Amino acid sequence: MAGAAEGDAGSSTDPNLVLTLIYFLTIVAIVLGTAVYFFVMSRITDPEVRLMELINTQREVQHLIDNLSSQFNNFWRLPLRWRAMKPYYTHHTLSWIFILTLVTSVVVLVVSLSLDTPQVVRVSTLTFVVSLNALFMTRQHLYYIRRTYLSYDAEHYLVLDTTKFYHFDLSVFNIVQIVILVIEFLQLLSFPIRDLLDALNLARSQDSDDTDSGTVSFIIGIITMFANLSSKFYVIQFWFLFSVIAGMTLIMSVIHAYNSWRPQNPIALYWVKYLLPLANLLYLPMLVMLIGSAACLSKIGTDDAADSSSGLLRCADPSVIKPLYLALTVVAYTVGYVILTAFVTSFDRIPIQGEIHYRSQGVAFLKNMSMLLSIDFLLVSNAFRHIRSILSLVIVLSMVCFNINTQPCFVDQINYWRTYGFCCILWVALIVTMLTNETKTLSEVGIGGVAAALAVGAVIILALFFAVRFIRRKTRNKHGVSEERNMLVNGFTEDIQIAQRNRPSVSFNSLTATHQLDSASNSMMIVNRQT
């Protein structure tokens, strides 16, 4: 512990200070920039267009709130009797198993903290986090099954399930979505990269390698917003995240209580829509930093405590009370994970042509898999590094297969390049798995050889993707299928649509407009009442 403290004190504080400032200023700049952008756009838009957008936004937000409420109700309502579980026996049984594991891990965690048994603390922390994620994923999957077959708004989900675009427009909204995708890719890629740096042991090989490792970690922390700070910044960062989650929970509770108390004059919630880009961008940084806090605190007193290169945080500050901070971390992660995941997966907006948007089922699966990947790399002990790498392979491979099979984005090009990104992450995870316990091979190959292998693999995957794209385009042109088409919601096949190109037909945009205008009068009443 003294050595770690000396290491923190002896190392230069400038990189940590710069990274800390960048971390917090980036969050503030994103929040303020989003607010300024939507404020300016609302002022330069024509009043009639603004009114129609407000009506449409109010309807979308109301749909989001209904989905959010349904998710929470589905999460908490578990039948006790076997007959009441019909026909979802598997989901309810798994849910009760995960709840039992969750409660047991909490009891063991409290007892182990009181008895100061570090190894048990670490195992119970890992068990709690995994059980919580598995429980929420199970309940969320059941929610989507029920929504598919028991939804009151079948037309809305029919449009969502049958909509597809081949191209997207270069609008401001789409550019923001692309930036979020790139940052998300770099965030997921950082986990196997950090493990690879740890396997290479750059920080302890040579002095020059130590500099390189520190530089790489510094760059990764800035790009991904996963700040690897010194101990004295851990307290600031922890209380900042805890305050954000507590404030978010308080605001939601106050709004829900007021609207339940005064349903005839509720608080206008059209602004909730503008928080979605922020929630998607900060989803992983916020939750992963809490996972990193739990990982760091649970490491104290174990063999992994001295190995700080594999973690995201350094929590060895003397002012940190381990039982208190670990308990608050678990509570903050539980609340933050449930609220943020339910929020980002409740927005089922019907997209317009050329807009980058996602199906909520796809968002739910990929967000949960991303969290499992972070849990795998941060909470699994270094003694099981090889198992940790194999688990990461399974997780990333499931993300690749899911993205290919379900195509969660409405734009085909986004699904294409997102699959390429997942395949690159899979390649890096495969390299990490092969080289994890090969100390002799790593010393012979070095960082240059590993970097070359990663680059060659990425180029080969890119070439394969271009080949597949060329074959698909050639096949599509051979059959006379246009890439500009949209799938219709009236069940017409592609060939029928081409044959009837010059005949009157119901297009996606007209169905979307009709679907939106059907409820325009009700939405207008809501807007007038709230404004």
Side-chain angles (χ1 to χ4, degrees):
M1 189 70 68
E6 290 176 2
D8 280 340
S11 61
S12 175
T13 58
D14 290 339
N16 290 323
L17 179 60
V18 171
L19 192 55
T20 304
L21 293 176
I22 291 176
Y23 178 79
F24 290 108
L25 290 178
T26 300
I27 295 177
V28 173
I30 291 173
V31 175
L32 292 180
T34 303
V36 170
Y37 169 76
F38 285 115
F39 177 79
V40 172
M41 292 301 295
S42 65
R43 290 296 178 269
I44 64 177
T45 305
D46 185 77
E48 294 182 359
V49 176
R50 190 194 317 169
L51 179 60
M52 290 302 298
E53 290 180 350
L54 184 61
I55 294 173
N56 193 34
T57 298
Q58 183 64 38
R59 180 181 177 278
E60 293 171 355
V61 170
Q62 186 59 47
H63 201 272
L64 183 150
I65 294 173
D66 291 340
N67 289 341
L68 191 63
S69 177
S70 299
Q71 284 207 57
F72 283 131
N73 291 334
N74 181 78
F75 182 77
W76 295 113
R77 294 179 180 178
L78 279 82
L80 290 173
R81 296 182 301 171
W82 180 256
R83 292 183 179 180
M85 295 183 182
K86 185 180 180 180
Y88 309 111
Y89 295 110
T90 304
H91 290 84
H92 292 310
T93 303
L94 287 175
S95 298
W96 280 113
I97 292 175
F98 293 138
I99 289 176
L100 180 62
T101 309
L102 199 69
V103 174
T104 304
S105 62
V106 170
V107 174
V108 174
L109 180 60
V110 172
V111 174
S112 58
L113 284 174
S114 61
L115 298 179
D116 195 16
T117 52
Q119 293 292 349
V120 180
V121 169
R122 183 157 198 185
V123 173
S124 58
T125 303
L126 173 62
T127 305
F128 175 85
V129 175
V130 172
S131 300
L132 175 66
N133 283 55
L135 173 63
F136 193 82
M137 289 174 65
T138 304
R139 304 307 299 173
Q140 200 167 46
H141 185 258
L142 177 59
Y143 160 75
Y144 284 115
I145 292 178
R146 284 174 166 171
R147 193 188 71 173
T148 302
Y149 296 103
L150 303 176
S151 174
Y152 65 91
D153 197 358
E155 181 187 356
H156 179 87
Y157 295 112
L158 178 62
V159 175
L160 290 175
D161 291 339
T162 56
T163 301
K164 185 177 181 180
F165 309 123
Y166 278 101
H167 301 286
F168 60 89
D169 303 325
L170 286 179
S171 61
V172 176
F173 177 83
N174 286 346
I175 292 175
V176 171
Q177 292 289 78
I178 292 173
V179 170
I180 292 176
L181 279 178
V182 173
I183 295 177
E184 182 185 60
F185 163 74
L186 295 174
Q187 288 171 343
L188 296 177
L189 183 64
S190 68
F191 292 114
I193 288 293
R194 287 177 185 273
D195 224 32
L196 184 59
L197 291 176
D198 185 42
L200 288 168
N201 205 9
L202 295 178
R204 299 181 182 179
S205 298
Q206 299 175 0
D207 293 338
S208 59
D209 286 343
D210 180 65
T211 302
D212 294 338
S213 176
T215 303
V216 172
S217 298
F218 180 74
I219 295 174
I220 291 175
I222 291 178
I223 295 176
T224 62
M225 292 188 289
F226 296 158
N228 187 3
L229 308 180
S230 62
S231 299
K232 62 182 179 180
F233 293 113
Y234 165 77
V235 177
I236 300 174
Q237 190 175 25
F238 173 82
W239 286 111
F240 173 77
L241 290 176
F242 188 85
S243 301
V244 169
I245 293 175
M248 177 176 62
T249 307
L250 179 61
I251 292 174
M252 289 183 61
S253 302
V254 170
I255 292 177
H256 177 71
Y258 180 85
N259 288 349
S260 300
W261 176 49
R262 301 286 298 275
Q264 70 280 4
N265 188 27
I267 298 175
L269 297 175
Y270 62 89
W271 49 270
V272 172
K273 176 183 175 181
Y274 306 134
L275 299 179
L276 278 167
L278 294 176
N280 280 293
L281 180 62
L282 301 178
Y283 178 86
L284 276 180
M286 290 181 63
L287 296 182
V288 168
M289 296 310 292
L290 290 172
I291 293 292
S293 174
C296 182
L297 292 167
S298 61
K299 275 183 182 180
I300 297 177
T302 65
D303 296 335
D304 293 338
D307 187 9
S308 60
S309 60
S310 62
L312 283 177
L313 299 176
R314 306 173 193 174
C315 54
D317 190 90
S319 63
V320 173
I321 304 174
K322 177 181 174 178
L324 174 63
Y325 275 76
L326 185 56
L328 292 177
T329 297
V330 168
V331 172
Y333 176 76
T334 302
V335 176
Y337 169 72
V338 172
I339 291 179
L340 285 176
T341 306
F343 180 68
V344 299
T345 58
S346 294
F347 192 55
D348 277 317
R349 175 178 177 270
I350 299 177
I352 61 176
Q353 185 174 355
E355 183 182 62
I356 298 177
H357 196 62
Y358 306 92
R359 297 176 178 87
S360 60
Q361 297 97 320
V363 176
F365 182 85
L366 294 176
K367 292 292 186 185
N368 282 303
M369 288 295 105
S370 300
M371 289 309 305
L372 288 180
L373 188 66
S374 65
I375 292 169
D376 176 49
F377 277 107
L378 295 177
L379 285 177
V380 177
S381 174
N382 292 337
F384 304 98
R385 189 174 283 132
H386 198 66
I387 298 177
R388 182 170 67 193
S389 302
I390 295 175
L391 288 175
S392 69
L393 275 177
V394 175
I395 294 172
V396 180
L397 182 60
S398 67
M399 297 172 73
V400 173
C401 296
F402 178 85
N403 204 70
I404 294 174
N405 184 49
T406 63
Q407 299 185 358
C409 184
F410 293 104
V411 182
D412 187 66
Q413 285 186 349
I414 298 299
N415 292 319
Y416 178 85
W417 289 110
R418 203 177 192 188
T419 303
Y420 171 72
F422 288 149
C423 288
C424 289
I425 299 173
L426 182 65
W427 172 247
V428 177
L430 180 62
I431 294 294
V432 172
T433 303
M434 293 189 298
L435 299 179
T436 295
N437 295 324
E438 300 294 333
T439 307
K440 183 178 180 180
T441 304
L442 283 173
S443 60
E444 293 176 355
V445 174
I447 187 173
V450 174
L454 296 178
V456 170
V459 172
I460 292 176
I461 295 173
L462 183 61
L464 291 175
F465 267 72
F466 275 123
V468 172
R469 185 177 180 84
F470 175 78
I471 294 173
R472 288 182 59 190
R473 180 177 296 179
K474 188 175 181 180
T475 304
R476 192 178 292 115
N477 293 336
K478 181 179 179 181
H479 292 281
V481 180
S482 173
E483 285 194 355
E484 300 298 333
R485 62 95 175 170
N486 299 321
M487 296 180 65
L488 300 184
V489 299
N490 58 1
F492 284 172
T493 62
E494 200 169 50
D495 295 334
I496 294 177
Q497 181 184 354
I498 296 172
Q500 298 182 352
R501 184 176 299 167
N502 297 324
R503 296 177 59 185
S505 62
V506 181
S507 66
F508 164 78
N509 291 332
S510 63
L511 273 173
T512 302
T514 303
H515 186 65
Q516 293 175 352
L517 291 176
D518 283 342
S519 59
S521 59
N522 294 333
S523 301
M524 179 72 78
M525 293 175 62
I526 295 174
V527 173
N528 292 335
R529 185 170 59 214
Q530 294 180 352
T531 57

